[in-house]
Structure formats: structure tokens, C-alpha cells
Amino acid sequence: MDFSLNEEQKLIQEAARDFAQTELLAEVIERDDAQRFPTEEIKKLGELGFLGMMVDPKYGGSGLDTLSYVIAMEEISKIDASTSVVMSVNNSLVCWGLEKFGSEEQKEKYLTKLSTGEQIGAFCLSEPEAGSDATSQKTTAVDMGDHYIVNGTKNWITNGGTASTYIVIAQTDKDKKHRGINALIIEKGTPGFEIGPKENKLGIRGSDTHSLIFNDVKVPKENRIGEDGFGFKFAMKTLAGGRIGIAAQALGIAAGAYELALKYSKERKAFGTEISNHQAIAFKLADMHTEIQAARLLVYQSALDKDNDRDYDLSGAMAKLYASKVAMETTVEAVQIHGGNGFVKDYHVERLMRDAKITQIYEGTSEIQKIVISRSILK
Ligand code: CAA
């Protein structure tokens, strides 16, 4: 398989790298400390076409392939994973699902605003008692003829407070189990829809994570995505692509930490020489470099599978499982190479280490990825 980038993809990589350096780096530590959402930065990302990268230009998107998207995700995540998760959720969990499965009216009404960043979207599946076990949805969407009445609570929702458009997964017919689940578009401000408190998190602290509460929320039938009962399949198909985005985020976090560790090791001296001259450090760098490249190949492979209409459930799950492990291990080693400085916020690697952890949890934990992978290879 040829993984070389074409001229357009190289330009996208350069543009994303440039944006991360000039727009994200300066205040990334402060945003993390203050748990401040990157409002202005997200607006600019939207203007540059990074929030609807794979969407058809007729709906305001950039019309690019998944490989371009993961390249951009890697570059943004090297500097600021809080910003890249907003980008990932908007691109793969919201815009992609709407374009692929939404009605023409839904695309006109919602997708055109979401793909340009005029509005931000959120994907609402997890609940207090249904995270990994996604079929056990407690949120209900009772069919009232021309509308649904939604009741329940969603948890850990990325963009929970800042989004305008929410795709909410809810149970309509419990007897039908996962085949009785629907995906509904719910607008912020709909009566009965409340935004719960913001979570105080270990990592990706600049992103905006909330619980959401639905109390007798009336949702018109035309806001259902796909046929009655399609909601669970919609969520699974959407998450399969989302996992490629998070794998790219994990790759970027790992690569960012590695680049910092490499630079530091050539500057910092101990025992009369740069620490990179000590084999203890040089071997760590060798491992990091090798594992990051292996993760990158898996991420690119899953993106190319998606772009070429091949199955990407397996390759996306492998990419996420492996890249998130590499992110965790690489960032821990990057802190170690930095020694005492690694424990201090100014050097960035402690933040990358905290940010890495979530990539093993959201959009399917590592254990869920192993379920997907093992079922695929054993079937
Ligand atoms: N594509 C299409 N359909 C799929 C599918 C896929 N990738 N995976 C499963 N399905 C379908 C199955 O075919 C089945 O349908 P039929 O019976 O009609 O054939 C149905 O879904 C149920 O499948 P399973 O029997 O395999 O369901 P399960 O209960 O064993 O669960 C699971 C499967 C893979 C473990 C799934 O529950 C899962 O992915 N869980 C993790 C959920 C998750 O990722 N949560 C993260 C929340 S989102 C988030 O983090 C967002 C954020 O803000 C960042």
C-alpha cells in the first residue's frame, strides 16, 4: 500500500501545522489551566475549512478525503488535543453521519452551518449507565405521531455546552432492543433541554464536556435521522469513522511529545554531554520513533480503507487501539526524558500525557476496540 502524500495533502499538512504553531501554541497552557474553550481558534479553523473537511462543497464542506483529515488531525493534536477533539467530533461524528444518512432537508438546515463552523455539533450516545454498553440506552424518545417526546440524561458529551446541534441517540421501543433506537437532531434552546454542569477533567481541559438533561423535549419527526429504528446502526457506523479521527488525535499527541523530547534531549546536558548521547535516552527515542511510525501506518491504512470503500471497522479499531497505547506510552517517556522539567507545565509534555489518557477511553475504550477486533477476526 502506498502511503505517500500527494501535493494537496502536503499543503493541508503544512496549513494545519502552521495553524497549530501560530494560533494554538501561545495560549494552550493557559486554556488548559483555565479550562477555557478555544472559541476564537475554532472559529478560525472553521473559516479554513477544517470543521467539515470531508463534506461535499455543496453543503459548505471542503470535499477532501479521510487521509487529508487524519493528517490535519495529527498536526493540530501535536499542539492542542483540546482543539482537535472539537474538530474530530464535528467532522466525523456529526458532519459525516448527517451527510451520509441525513435527509436533504436536514443537510440544508444543519450540515451547511456545521461544516463551516458557523455552528458546532455534539454526538450524544453515552449515559450515566450506558457508556460501553451502548445498546442499554435509558433515554427515551416516545413516538407521538408527528413528533417524539424525549426524556433522559446524557453524560460526558464533547462540545456539550458550546454546540448548537445535538445528535441524540434514544430508545423508542424497548422490546425491539437495539432495533428500537433512534437518532434525533435536537437544537439547543428547545424547551426542556438543559445543559448540565461542565466536567472538571484530567486532560483535554480546554474542551467542553457536559451532561445533558432532557425533560419532555418535543422533537419533530423530520429530525429523525434515517428510518425508524436505525439509530443504533447509525451510531455504530458513525463511531467506526470517529475512531479513525481519535486514532489520528492519539498519533498527534504521541508525535508532539516525541518531537519535544527529541529537541530537549539535544539541548539538555548531563554528565558532560547532551543527554541524547546517553544510550538510555537514545534507545527511548528509537522506540518512540518506531512505535509512532507503526501507529501512523495503521491510521493511514484505516483512512485509506474508508476512502476506498473498503471495510474500516477492523482497521479503524486497530488504529485506535494501537495509536492510543502509543500515545500513552510515548507521553510518559517524554515526561521521563524531560526529568524534573517534564513535571512542570511550561514544557508541555505533562499536558500531552494527561491528554493522551482519554484516547484510550472515548469513542470506545481499548477494551471495546478489542471486542470489535476479536469479533472481526474470529467470525
Ligand atoms: N456498523 C454497522 N452496524 C453495526 C456495527 C457497525 N460498525 N457494529 C454493530 N452493528 C450492529 C450489529 O450488526 C447489530 O445489528 P443487527 O442485530 O441488526 O445485525 C447491532 O449493531 C448490535 O450489535 P452487537 O450485537 O454487536 O451489539 P453489542 O451490544 O454486542 O455491542 C459494541 C457492540 C461494539 C460493543 C458497541 O456497543 C460499542 O461500540 N460500544 C462502545 C460505544 C462507544 O464507543 N461509546 C463511546 C461514546 S461516544 C463518545 O465518546 C463521543 C464523544 O463525545 C467524544
Side-chain angles (χ1 to χ4, degrees):
M1 204 177 271
D2 182 10
F3 292 113
S4 52
L5 306 183
N6 63 31
E7 283 314 305
E8 185 183 57
Q9 288 158 345
K10 283 183 198 159
L11 285 174
I12 288 159
Q13 186 174 46
E14 217 171 288
R17 194 175 289 161
D18 200 48
F19 182 86
Q21 286 293 333
T22 55
E23 302 287 345
L24 297 176
L25 182 59
E27 291 184 12
V28 65
I29 294 174
E30 191 260 309
R31 281 195 300 276
D32 173 74
D33 262 353
Q35 297 201 79
R36 183 162 61 76
F37 187 81
T39 310
E40 282 310 306
E41 292 78 1
I42 290 295
K43 198 164 157 254
K44 287 181 191 164
L45 265 185
E47 285 161 6
L48 287 172
F50 282 115
L51 294 181
M53 290 187 74
M54 295 166 286
V55 175
D56 191 317
K58 77 174 172 185
Y59 302 116
S62 303
L64 296 165
D65 55 12
T66 314
L67 188 55
S68 303
Y69 164 59
V70 301
I71 292 164
M73 276 296 295
E74 178 181 346
E75 293 307 320
I76 303 292
S77 306
K78 281 181 185 174
I79 304 294
D80 186 359
S82 293
T83 296
S84 73
V85 71
V86 182
M87 184 175 153
S88 177
V89 166
N90 203 70
N91 271 289
S92 22
L93 295 189
V94 179
C95 288
W96 184 83
L98 263 178
E99 184 170 25
K100 179 92 181 157
F101 302 110
S103 66
E104 206 44 47
E105 293 72 29
Q106 289 166 353
K107 291 181 206 177
E108 290 294 336
K109 188 168 176 193
Y110 299 106
L111 185 58
T112 47
K113 294 193 180 109
L114 290 161
S115 58
T116 55
E118 189 185 329
Q119 289 190 354
I120 296 293
F123 178 84
C124 316
L125 173 70
S126 301
E127 299 189 349
E129 290 170 61
S132 291
D133 183 7
T135 54
S136 298
Q137 294 288 304
K138 297 263 187 316
T139 298
T140 53
V142 177
D143 190 338
M144 306 296 282
D146 65 345
H147 66 274
Y148 292 98
I149 294 292
V150 177
N151 279 288
T153 302
K154 293 289 174 184
N155 257 29
W156 312 296
I157 303 303
T158 305
N159 302 340
T162 43
S164 303
T165 305
Y166 298 75
I167 298 179
V168 180
I169 311 298
Q171 183 71 254
T172 295
D173 188 340
K174 204 163 184 284
D175 294 340
K176 291 189 182 159
K177 300 189 176 150
H178 64 269
R179 295 196 185 109
I181 289 175
N182 281 309
L184 306 175
I185 302 169
I186 303 187
E187 294 176 23
K188 182 181 252 164
T190 308
F193 173 21
E194 280 171 48
I195 314 289
K198 180 170 169 153
E199 301 292 352
N200 185 1
K201 307 190 296 282
L202 171 75
I204 55 163
R205 288 168 58 81
S207 74
D208 177 45
T209 312
H210 288 256
S211 55
L212 304 174
I213 303 118
F214 301 90
N215 270 318
D216 288 335
V217 177
K218 187 174 171 184
V219 183
K221 268 267 168 82
E222 62 260 27
N223 280 22
R224 186 183 71 211
I225 301 175
E227 294 297 305
D228 182 32
F230 180 63
F232 191 74
K233 282 229 154 109
F234 168 83
M236 289 299 108
K237 283 176 186 281
T238 304
L239 274 168
R243 287 166 186 164
I244 300 175
I246 299 303
Q249 180 189 43
L251 168 64
I253 293 171
Y258 164 74
E259 285 173 15
L260 289 169
L262 181 67
K263 182 166 179 287
Y264 185 85
S265 73
K266 291 195 217 164
E267 291 164 2
R268 173 78 179 180
K269 288 193 173 148
F271 305 102
T273 184
E274 288 78 17
I275 60 171
S276 58
N277 291 326
H278 297 299
Q279 205 174 57
I281 301 298
F283 278 14
K284 279 189 199 300
L285 292 166
D287 281 340
M288 289 157 102
H289 187 62
T290 306
E291 281 153 18
I292 288 166
Q293 184 59 8
R296 188 175 288 113
L297 295 178
L298 279 174
V299 173
Y300 281 18
Q301 188 197 325
S302 61
L304 288 174
D305 282 345
K306 184 159 173 284
D307 286 335
N308 289 290
D309 293 326
R310 294 188 292 262
D311 175 75
Y312 54 90
D313 284 1
L314 173 63
S315 56
M318 290 197 298
K320 183 177 184 291
L321 175 68
Y322 189 72
S324 61
K325 179 170 169 279
V326 171
M328 206 57 246
E329 290 171 359
T330 305
T331 53
V332 168
E333 288 294 55
V335 170
Q336 191 69 16
I337 290 172
H338 279 74
N341 283 329
F343 212 60
V344 173
K345 296 205 171 200
D346 303 4
Y347 285 81
H348 297 281
V349 283
E350 65 80 34
R351 189 188 72 258
L352 290 166
M353 185 180 86
R354 288 186 284 105
D355 288 349
K357 187 61 207 167
I358 191 62
T359 65
Q360 294 185 305
I361 298 173
Y362 59 17
E363 298 197 31
T365 60
S366 294
E367 291 73 17
I368 290 292
Q369 305 315 319
K370 288 183 192 177
I371 291 179
V372 174
I373 296 163
S374 58
R375 281 184 184 174
S376 172
I377 58 182
L378 291 169
K379 79 179 172 203

